[in-house]
Amino acid sequence: MGEAAKRPVVAAALLWSVLTCAAAFGQSDGDADDDAGGSIEVDEEVVVRGRSRGMLRAQIQLAEEAVYARFNEINSNDEFDIHCRRVTPIGSNISRRVCEPNFWRNVQARAGEETVRALQGSSAVPTEVFLAEGLLKYRLLDEEMRRLTAEDEELRRSLVRLVRLMEADSGGELPPAFFATVSVQEKAGETELPYDAAIRTSVRIGRDPWTYALALQTFTIAHVYGEIRRVEVQCEGRRKQRLRYEPDVEWTLPEAWAPCDLTVRATAGTTFALYEFE
């Protein structure tokens, strides 16, 4: 899988872990309440009103580093340690900051090695195997972050401070990581997708259901980590219909029903891949 297809999954998993944990405790934290006048008191040292956007973004980065530093210090597995670095994507001259756990960098390296082997004509392990392993470890990282947030006051306060700064940066709205994050990959030339699919959409569910306009009428949901509670479709001129979800079941909707929207309801943090077939 290419770099562009992997990055959104990485960023979403990290931010979702951080922000969801912070939101869970932020309302009960005495130093994180809003002022009636609209200033956002992050702690005794930071007041957002009157700060420049650049300064606010710098504070967010420092707050994020503080969260990761504390988490790295107290977590139970060095694979979960999160480090930030600047990278320049292929084909671009603009670098960007990327924060990743150690295991995800290992996943990328192993997948890259197997891709080279495949290009050389040697037997190779499908890259989806490493992606699935990485997504499973992200779920374990989520659980570790939640557990330590409940147990460690320093980490909890750092998380609350970060989420308040990010709310301020977005005008008081919850950051996008609270909603579903999606990465789409289409079959291109000789590049094959698993199951001979035409389109693969990798999804990480936020706090709300995910709705998607189907491009094709045959589809399946696979590589589920988490809990899918309900799958529904609503096609033009028809009532919303619930589909009986079972792992790896394939559905085909009548062509006459198109266009159709698919809605997936799942526990927050659930990841899966939607495959569509021609």
Side-chain angles (χ1 to χ4, degrees):
M1 179 182 295
E3 196 75 10
K6 290 185 286 190
R7 291 296 181 195
V9 178
V10 177
L14 287 176
L15 283 176
W16 192 90
S17 297
V18 171
L19 298 177
T20 304
C21 291
F25 293 94
Q27 295 303 317
S28 60
D29 191 292
D31 292 331
D33 294 336
D34 290 351
D35 281 346
S39 295
I40 299 178
E41 296 281 355
V42 180
D43 57 24
E44 64 274 13
E45 297 179 351
V46 180
V47 180
V48 171
R49 175 179 288 166
R51 303 277 179 152
S52 71
R53 195 63 175 270
M55 184 178 293
L56 181 55
R57 293 287 174 84
Q59 288 185 1
I60 289 173
Q61 182 169 321
L62 289 173
E64 188 179 25
E65 292 280 6
V67 168
Y68 296 152
R70 181 57 180 168
F71 178 69
N72 294 349
E73 182 180 350
I74 64 176
N75 71 47
S76 62
N77 190 337
D78 288 344
E79 281 195 318
F80 291 162
D81 286 2
I82 300 168
H83 301 283
C84 300
R85 59 197 173 98
R86 297 204 68 83
V87 300
T88 303
I90 296 175
S92 173
N93 294 320
I94 302 176
S95 65
R96 60 178 176 174
R97 185 168 175 268
V98 174
C99 300
E100 298 171 323
N102 288 337
F103 68 76
W104 189 257
R105 296 186 67 175
N106 293 336
V107 162
Q108 291 180 323
R110 291 162 62 195
E113 291 171 0
E114 294 302 317
T115 298
V116 171
R117 288 173 58 87
L119 292 174
Q120 292 174 340
S122 302
S123 177
V125 178
T127 58
E128 285 73 21
V129 172
F130 303 111
L131 175 61
E133 177 186 336
L135 292 177
L136 175 59
K137 288 185 177 181
Y138 259 121
R139 183 166 181 80
L140 297 176
L141 185 152
D142 282 347
E143 294 172 358
E144 181 92 339
M145 181 74 79
R146 290 171 181 277
R147 179 180 66 81
L148 292 177
T149 298
E151 296 174 358
D152 187 82
E153 175 149 356
E154 182 178 341
L155 176 61
R156 181 163 62 249
R157 289 180 63 85
S158 295
L159 284 166
V160 171
R161 184 173 187 274
L162 174 60
V163 78
R164 303 304 288 160
L165 284 165
M166 295 187 75
E167 284 181 332
D169 186 47
S170 61
E173 299 292 331
L174 290 175
F178 278 85
F179 304 95
T181 302
V182 180
S183 173
V184 180
Q185 182 182 15
E186 297 188 23
K187 179 179 178 181
E190 297 181 357
T191 302
E192 296 291 335
L193 295 178
Y195 317 124
D196 292 325
I199 303 173
R200 175 175 61 191
T201 305
S202 299
V203 181
R204 185 179 184 86
I205 294 289
R207 300 203 299 192
D208 295 327
W210 175 64
T211 297
Y212 168 79
L214 289 166
L216 301 170
Q217 297 298 99
T218 299
F219 57 94
T220 189
I221 294 174
H223 314 312
V224 177
Y225 294 95
E227 180 186 357
I228 291 182
R229 294 175 173 172
R230 180 178 296 184
V231 178
E232 301 168 326
V233 292
Q234 182 158 22
C235 302
E236 190 171 73
R238 294 179 176 271
R239 293 183 179 180
K240 182 176 290 186
Q241 298 188 30
R242 182 173 179 175
L243 302 178
R244 182 178 178 181
Y245 170 71
E246 294 179 10
D248 301 320
V249 166
E250 182 180 292
W251 296 281
T252 298
L253 304 178
E255 290 291 337
W257 288 16
C260 297
D261 289 337
L262 173 72
T263 298
V264 178
R265 302 176 186 273
T267 55
T270 296
T271 60
F272 61 88
L274 171 70
Y275 291 95
E276 296 177 77
F277 306 93
E278 294 177 338

